[in-house]
């Protein structure tokens, strides 16, 4: 963990442009754009800071930054697992879960459902009404 903490310390120092020992939402935006090529909106940067700002000063201390980085890493890992699970259920080449692909996977898992039952399952989380589940809809379903 010491190596990881040391790495985060270096990243924190790079993000802390004015060397005040804190990272502002503006500094976070600049560094995310430079380091990751991600253009983060001011609102999203404020939300990120607020999510880890335990002392309420609107800035991230090194400890708060480490907490935020760990939360982001955990979310990334969770997303990878969900993508893997989604891929098992999704129709090959379609990039979505169809009633037929859901029926096939449930059958492989020992749960034999009719196509209409699979349609009903999908319908509950099919937010755009296209009759299939996208990855985003699948994530919402898994969080329910």
């Amino acid at each position: 963990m010491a190596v990881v903490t040391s790495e985060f310390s270096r990243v924190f120092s790079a993000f802390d442009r004015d060397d005040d020992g804190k990272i502002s939402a503006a500094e976070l935006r600049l560094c995310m754009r430079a380091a990751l090529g991600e253009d983060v909106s001011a609102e999203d940067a404020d939300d990120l800071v607020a999510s880890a700002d335990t002392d309420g000063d609107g800035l991230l201390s090194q400890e708060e930054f480490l907490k935020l980085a760990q939360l982001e890493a955990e979310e990334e890992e969770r997303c990878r697992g969900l993508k893997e699970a989604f891929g098992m259920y999704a129709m090959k080449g379609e990039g979505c879960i169809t009633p037929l692909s859901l029926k096939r996977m449930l059958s492989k898992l020992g749960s034999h459902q009719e196509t209409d039952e699979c349609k009903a399952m999908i319908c509950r989380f099919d937010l755009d009404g296209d009759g299939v589940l996208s990855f985003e809809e699948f994530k919402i379903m898994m969080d329910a």
Side-chain angles (χ1 to χ4, degrees):
M1 183 68 182
V3 173
V4 172
T5 304
S6 169
E7 182 66 27
F8 280 119
S9 293
R10 284 199 302 280
V11 171
F12 179 86
S13 295
F15 276 44
D16 182 17
R17 304 280 239 202
D18 61 6
D19 290 324
D20 66 351
K22 302 271 186 164
I23 296 175
S24 67
E27 288 172 319
L28 190 63
R29 284 184 72 207
L30 284 172
C31 290
M32 287 182 78
R33 187 178 307 128
L36 305 174
E38 288 187 34
D39 196 16
V40 177
S41 72
E43 185 179 338
D44 286 346
D46 287 339
D47 289 347
L48 272 173
V49 169
S51 72
D53 179 20
T54 55
D55 62 10
D57 65 357
L59 302 167
L60 294 177
S61 66
Q62 189 165 350
E63 182 180 311
E64 292 166 334
F65 179 74
L66 178 60
K67 177 181 148 194
L68 177 64
Q70 287 171 332
L71 288 173
E72 290 295 315
E74 287 169 10
E75 178 59 23
E76 219 173 272
E77 182 62 33
R78 180 183 165 281
C79 202
R80 262 194 298 276
L82 284 175
K83 283 182 180 174
E84 189 176 313
F86 179 79
M88 292 171 60
Y89 285 89
M91 183 66 105
K92 293 254 189 266
E94 295 291 320
C96 60
I97 298 173
T98 66
L100 184 58
S101 67
L102 178 59
K103 180 180 177 179
R104 283 184 188 149
M105 181 49 77
L106 291 175
S107 180
K108 286 180 185 179
L109 296 172
S111 176
H112 301 286
Q113 306 289 326
E114 295 300 318
T115 303
D116 285 343
E117 292 171 305
C118 292
K119 282 181 185 176
M121 287 181 215
I122 286 174
C123 184
R124 279 184 253 154
F125 296 98
D126 179 18
L127 302 178
D128 60 8
D130 63 358
V132 298
L133 289 182
S134 67
F135 178 67
E136 289 305 313
E137 291 166 332
F138 180 73
K139 276 182 17 181
I140 292 166
M141 179 185 78
M142 296 306 287
D143 287 339

